[in-house]
Amino acid sequence: RPPRSTLFPYTTLFRSHAVCSSDLAQCALPIYSGVLFRLWRMNKRGHFFVFEGIDGSGKTTQIHLLQKRIEQQGVRCMETKEPTDGPIGSLLRQCLTGRMNIDEYSISAMFAADRLDHLQNETDGLCHKIEEGISVISDRYVFSNYAYQSVSVPLEWLVQLNAQAAKLLRPDCHIFIDVDPTTAMERMAAGRFHTERYETSDRLTKVRDRYLSLFEQFQDTERILIVDGNRPVDTIANDIWTQVSALYS
């Protein structure tokens, strides 16, 4: 299937957490309205964006660029990733690099456990950060688990495994950087000294197909942006910001 740039579904992509304009209109003294608006904006709930894509798709670059643009709006914004650097995530990385040999069912369960810790741990859990008004951009979330592991594990089981995470925190938008697997393999070969568990052309092709199939399946319940990642970096970044900026206007 050729790369494409598609938004599913456009009318439900952005659900702003803004208060009703009538709430602000109740301010008795207009001279304070600007101050009150800034205080309200500082205390509003943060937004959650997730970047998805096969390995070598250019997610990391686009995450950095989006974070800068959000911070330019005067909004606190942090980057994060899955697997995390926490205890479970560290074990997962050993599995992915081949230092540990473990079956796909166990890896799937570890991804789900790492995700719940990512959301709820008391030190830097994402749910707490977003409630504090911080926007969060994550490199991977539940769709990565679905796409990569469903090649070998039943999708229905994976969805059930991640049901609690999906209930706790649903992204404002899943941003999928779509690139051809051959291009992705060339990028990784030029920038890395080793490959990880899933970084083969055959596996990445299957994973990309899984992603696109999943997006069709979940288009009525998730807000998904598919971006052609074979174009220049700035062009991709501008396309993403055109959609995301509505939340910060």
Side-chain angles (χ1 to χ4, degrees):
R1 206 180 300 187
R4 54 183 177 165
S5 181
T6 311
L7 188 61
F8 296 126
Y10 185 84
T11 55
T12 60
L13 174 62
F14 298 121
R15 293 181 180 176
S16 175
H17 302 290
V19 297
C20 176
S21 58
S22 61
D23 296 335
L24 293 177
Q26 293 175 2
C27 299
L29 297 176
I31 191 171
Y32 293 119
S33 61
V35 175
L36 290 173
F37 180 79
R38 286 194 294 273
L39 288 173
W40 161 76
R41 184 168 183 173
M42 288 173 62
N43 292 319
K44 68 180 292 192
R45 187 174 183 271
H47 294 291
F48 183 40
F49 305 104
V50 173
F51 276 76
E52 297 284 1
I54 61 175
D55 296 279
S57 60
K59 293 183 284 80
T60 303
T61 299
Q62 292 302 325
I63 287 171
H64 294 336
L65 293 173
L66 180 57
Q67 182 192 29
K68 288 181 180 178
R69 280 189 155 168
I70 292 174
E71 288 178 338
Q72 287 171 358
Q73 311 308 306
V75 176
R76 293 177 295 168
C77 183
M78 62 172 280
E79 297 179 20
T80 188
K81 64 185 177 182
E82 293 187 356
T84 69
D85 292 326
I88 305 172
S90 297
L91 284 175
L92 269 169
R93 293 189 183 281
Q94 293 187 53
C95 297
L96 296 177
T97 57
R99 293 184 180 181
M100 292 178 60
N101 188 15
I102 193 167
D103 67 277
E104 287 293 325
Y105 279 90
S106 298
I107 286 181
S108 299
M110 289 172 68
F111 270 115
D114 184 46
R115 182 164 300 117
L116 286 175
D117 180 62
H118 196 196
L119 294 175
Q120 295 184 293
N121 79 79
E122 295 181 358
T123 304
D124 55 2
L126 299 190
C127 291
H128 300 302
K129 296 295 183 183
I130 288 173
E131 289 301 324
E132 291 171 4
I134 300 172
S135 285
V136 176
I137 308 173
S138 181
D139 186 343
R140 301 197 180 285
Y141 196 53
V142 292
F143 272 122
S144 281
N145 212 170
Y146 299 164
Y148 276 82
Q149 272 67 59
S150 68
V151 174
S152 307
V153 174
L155 175 62
E156 294 77 12
W157 182 73
L158 291 168
V159 172
Q160 292 177 357
L161 196 63
N162 286 280
Q164 182 63 17
K167 180 180 178 180
L168 285 170
L169 186 59
R170 175 167 289 176
D172 288 272
C173 185
H174 304 265
I175 303 168
F176 178 68
I177 309 297
D178 189 20
V179 298
D180 182 85
T182 302
T183 301
M185 289 295 296
E186 291 172 353
R187 291 177 180 176
M188 288 188 287
R192 298 187 189 178
F193 296 103
H194 67 278
T195 57
E196 295 187 350
R197 183 182 181 112
Y198 304 119
E199 294 176 351
T200 66
S201 180
D202 180 64
R203 184 72 178 217
L204 292 183
T205 298
K206 291 178 180 178
V207 170
R208 177 178 179 266
D209 290 342
R210 284 285 197 283
Y211 265 122
L212 296 176
S213 176
L214 286 163
F215 295 152
E216 296 285 353
Q217 182 176 340
F218 286 89
Q219 63 177 294
D220 293 331
T221 57
E222 301 293 332
R223 296 170 289 279
I224 299 162
L225 174 65
I226 301 178
V227 181
D228 181 357
N230 299 292
R231 300 169 300 158
V233 169
D234 289 343
T235 302
I236 298 170
N238 288 336
D239 275 1
I240 293 170
W241 183 243
T242 296
Q243 301 298 338
V244 170
S245 61
L247 287 172
Y248 299 100
S249 59

